[in-house]
Amino acid sequence: MNPAARDKAASLRARFEAAGAAVIDPAILQPAETLLDLYGEDIRGRAYVTADPGRGEMMLRPDFTVPVVQAHMQGGAEPARYTYSGEVFRRQEADPDRNSEYLQVGFEIFDRTDPAAADAEVFAIFADALAGLPLRAVTGDIGVLMAAVGGLDASAARRAALLRHLWRPRRFRALLDRFSGKTRVPPARAKLLKARDPLDGAAPLVGKRSHDEIAARIETLRADAAQPPLSRDQVALVDAILAVRETAPFALARLRDIAVDMPALTPALDRLEARLDALAARGIDVEALDFEGSYGRTSMEYYDGFVFGFVSDARPDLPPAATGGRYDALTERLGDGQAIPAVGGVIRPDLILALEGGA
């Protein structure tokens, strides 16, 4: 590991400690069974997993947030601020030139007092740490997209499917097209659903699914096929949200216009407005802050609200130098029903060095 990167990580962690964060150091080897389901599809597919005779399936940590949440929910103080630095590990089969082991330095807040203020605090401390570098801040809000899906005039099963695939843009689009009738039902599926007994005369079962499980899946498909198509107007509203790319105040105004026809957005937009006010109070120039309606859809699947990143337009080959967001629902999943609003982010020291050196 580059000594300069370790020095940069130490200085960043010291900055976060000075802001009131306690140092936390999750183990490099983490229980895979507990954590793999909490990461997005992308990270799950890139995790290093191994078997331990006594502890079962284990994994090299692919990030810090989930282990930090797990530790906090087992008895952390409230409110709490944490910082950490250390290696994370992700396979890079799609891009072998990228490092599979690199340093992250993070800052996390667990505080139910004022979520908008906590969002602003996290963003501002990262913006300050990155000041002077050729980076552009971009923000988004997964909560707005989740509210849009929740407001659709569709069955609970269809809304759940769309929410499950919110972080998979192609699959999400395919579902919208199918639910709205834009995509025709494949002939083989149509024949299957019309059959009186689809399993009559079927080949012997091969694989893990039982006869009853297959029959239940067919009934689920039949129930979905009986649903009326999703309104094209509602699909257009979702598309309009995803297409928003403005500075934050104009984005909020555009989303307020969309909310006239989709009132379910209003609570999420009220939270967005409160966040912008809190950012402005922290000295962030929100008039110049970018907001993208689709931002964060390829990030960690545990984000469920505010998301942000700092990207280099001059170096599109580099990942974001820093990313973060809000993950309230994750605390509930790891807290056995107990939850606390939480937000945080990470910086990559190696990328900062690359930008500082003009590499």
Side-chain angles (χ1 to χ4, degrees):
M1 186 67 67
N2 184 349
R6 291 198 178 279
D7 290 343
K8 179 63 70 174
S11 67
L12 288 167
R13 197 182 77 173
R15 175 190 292 266
F16 296 150
E17 286 185 74
V23 175
I24 189 169
D25 186 21
I28 290 177
L29 205 58
Q30 294 285 329
E33 182 179 2
T34 303
L35 301 186
L36 277 177
D37 286 342
L38 300 174
Y39 290 109
E41 186 175 273
D42 175 62
I43 299 301
R44 285 196 299 270
R46 294 163 59 197
Y48 287 98
V49 180
T50 187
D52 182 281
R55 303 171 67 187
E57 198 171 44
M58 305 293 289
M59 66 188 295
L60 295 176
R61 64 186 179 213
D63 95 321
F64 277 91
T65 300
V66 172
V68 168
V69 173
Q70 195 169 38
H72 177 81
M73 299 310 290
Q74 290 173 353
E78 187 180 324
R81 285 161 175 75
Y82 298 108
T83 185
Y84 47 80
S85 67
E87 295 87 350
V88 295
F89 307 84
R90 300 179 190 178
R91 294 188 299 174
Q92 303 290 355
E93 295 173 2
D95 190 351
D97 292 333
R98 287 191 177 184
N99 292 329
S100 57
E101 174 186 353
Y102 53 87
L103 288 169
Q104 281 187 347
V105 184
F107 178 72
E108 316 282 342
I109 296 179
F110 295 76
D111 191 342
R112 65 182 76 251
T113 307
D114 188 342
D119 287 348
E121 180 181 347
V122 168
F123 182 87
I125 199 169
F126 278 80
D128 185 58
L130 297 168
L133 293 173
L135 292 167
R136 175 175 61 89
V138 57
T139 64
D141 195 326
I142 297 296
V144 173
L145 295 176
M146 296 176 78
V149 171
L152 292 175
D153 185 15
S155 68
R158 286 185 166 184
R159 291 196 301 271
L162 288 167
L163 284 174
R164 188 165 59 252
H165 293 288
L166 193 63
W167 292 267
R168 304 173 185 91
R170 290 184 180 180
R171 178 61 176 158
F172 184 84
R173 168 53 52 192
L175 287 174
L176 276 180
D177 289 346
R178 177 158 69 87
F179 294 160
S180 63
K182 184 177 179 179
T183 301
R184 296 176 63 88
V185 177
R189 176 173 289 187
K191 181 180 178 180
L192 175 74
L193 297 181
K194 288 181 180 179
R196 183 184 299 273
D197 183 2
L199 296 178
D200 184 32
L205 292 179
V206 177
K208 295 183 178 181
R209 288 190 177 182
S210 68
H211 182 285
D212 289 344
E213 288 173 329
I214 295 172
R217 175 58 180 163
I218 292 172
E219 287 306 309
T220 298
L221 293 173
R222 282 175 167 166
D224 181 73
Q227 292 292 318
L230 185 62
S231 161
R232 297 289 181 91
D233 290 339
Q234 289 202 322
V235 174
L237 291 173
V238 174
D239 287 340
I241 293 169
L242 293 172
V244 170
R245 292 175 63 94
E246 303 273 2
T247 54
F250 285 104
L252 177 61
R254 173 65 181 131
L255 291 168
R256 291 286 191 194
D257 289 341
I258 296 171
V260 172
D261 296 311
M262 187 176 272
L265 295 179
T266 298
L269 298 183
D270 289 344
R271 290 191 290 272
L272 171 56
E273 185 170 5
R275 182 185 310 127
L276 294 180
D277 290 342
L279 286 167
R282 285 264 175 185
I284 302 298
D285 182 7
V286 296
E287 299 293 332
L289 182 63
D290 288 341
F291 182 97
E292 297 179 7
S294 63
Y295 190 75
R297 295 182 70 203
T298 56
S299 301
M300 298 291 191
E301 290 186 20
Y302 50 66
Y303 288 140
D304 55 12
F306 177 47
V307 284
F308 66 86
F310 289 81
V311 300
S312 172
D313 292 328
R315 290 290 307 271
D317 57 308
L318 295 179
T323 56
R326 176 161 289 280
Y327 47 87
D328 295 352
L330 180 62
T331 70
E332 184 174 8
R333 290 188 64 182
L334 290 174
D336 294 327
Q338 300 297 315
I340 179 172
V343 60
V346 295
I347 294 181
R348 285 188 53 172
D350 59 326
L351 298 181
I352 294 179
L353 292 174
L355 293 167
E356 288 177 340

